[in-house]
Amino acid sequence: MPATHHVLIINPNTSRSVTERLLSQLSTGLPEVQLHGATAQFGAAYIADEYSYCVAGHAVLDAWERAQPLAPSGGYHAVLVGCFGDPGLPALDEVAGIPVLGLAQAAVQALARQGWQRVAVVTGGEKWQPMLERWSRAAGHDGPGAALQIVQVRTLAATGLQMMQSPDHTAQALAQASCESLQGTDAQAVLLGGAGLAGMGERVRAITGLPVWDCVEAAQQSLQHTLATANRRTAVA
């Protein structure tokens, strides 16, 4: 991938620490891509319920507009919505004119490309369970005929933002929840959902030895795939 690729990372949460975490984790696997961060100017510090999720959709579009005067001369080549739940994704896709990825959508697609067919999701914040189950149904991941089926959404009481404050305790809690999900369902792999859990996939794999990925590292793979595909299309044209 050429170094001219510029990718906008929109954090729908108002916490700049989450933006910094996203940029830090994504940049380690995208050395030839310049990342630009944009943090929501209004809404919740960390999205954890229906109300804050709804507001975040508007905040994502606002962040996109605010980022345009700061864009490099060639513009952005892709944009990633950094919330597991993808608020505002369809609307942003409608107006952006470039590849648009959401953290949940991109992570699931990455695991599907790896060949996994049944995945359990583990995340923080109890209100996320019905929200992500609804997202799964809408995205077509809820039935046995799906290319990738989400067989369970398991939530821990702490939110992702709270988990960020206690990484060692969080890694152990996620490891236990991942083991229980794999033992209690027919899931083949576990996806850790939430921007605040960036980096936890590697830590949980080290503890458990199980196929566990966090959504940021998985979305990174999809972002690489998207940019590589764009390169091939440009070369052919």
Side-chain angles (χ1 to χ4, degrees):
M1 275 177 282
T4 52
H5 272 138
H6 295 266
V7 176
L8 178 65
I9 309 299
I10 297 179
N11 171 23
N13 310 282
T14 62
S15 300
R16 294 189 181 276
S17 60
V18 175
T19 306
E20 293 167 1
R21 187 171 187 129
L22 284 168
L23 294 175
S24 174
Q25 292 295 321
L26 288 168
S27 63
T28 58
L30 298 169
E32 298 179 335
V33 176
Q34 185 170 345
L35 301 177
H36 305 260
T39 306
Q41 296 296 299
F42 56 87
Y46 198 88
I47 301 162
D49 54 30
E50 295 279 9
Y51 184 90
S52 57
Y53 178 83
C54 183
V55 173
H58 182 194
V60 163
L61 298 177
D62 176 75
W64 166 257
E65 295 297 334
R66 289 175 178 270
Q68 298 318 297
L70 305 175
S73 58
Y76 303 111
H77 296 89
V79 54
L80 171 68
V81 177
C83 169
F84 195 80
D86 306 343
L89 187 68
L92 181 59
D93 187 46
E94 184 176 82
V95 301
I98 58 174
V100 176
L101 293 80
L103 210 51
Q105 169 211 65
V108 168
Q109 289 175 350
L111 294 193
R113 279 193 294 270
Q114 290 181 30
W116 303 108
Q117 296 178 318
R118 297 182 302 281
V119 172
V121 171
V122 175
T123 190
E126 294 173 343
K127 292 185 178 180
W128 269 110
Q129 181 172 353
M131 295 165 63
L132 288 177
E133 288 173 345
R134 184 181 67 236
W135 175 87
S136 177
R137 289 192 297 271
H141 299 303
D142 65 327
L148 183 146
Q149 183 184 3
I150 295 177
V151 299
Q152 182 189 61
V153 176
R154 185 185 187 96
T155 56
L156 304 181
T159 67
L161 190 60
Q162 291 169 331
M163 290 182 177
M164 286 176 61
Q165 314 309 316
S166 305
D168 292 338
H169 179 269
T170 294
Q172 292 294 333
L174 292 172
Q176 179 178 344
S178 297
C179 289
E180 291 173 354
S181 289
L182 288 173
Q183 292 169 359
T185 70
D186 63 348
Q188 302 164 315
V190 172
L191 178 61
L192 306 178
L197 303 186
M200 282 293 161
E202 183 177 8
R203 295 192 62 167
V204 173
R205 286 195 300 276
I207 295 170
T208 65
L210 296 173
V212 179
W213 286 268
D214 68 69
C215 62
V216 176
E217 63 179 336
Q220 181 188 77
Q221 296 174 21
S222 281
L223 188 53
Q224 289 174 319
H225 177 80
T226 296
L227 296 175
T229 301
N231 274 349
R232 289 194 294 270
R233 289 174 179 169
T234 300
V236 170

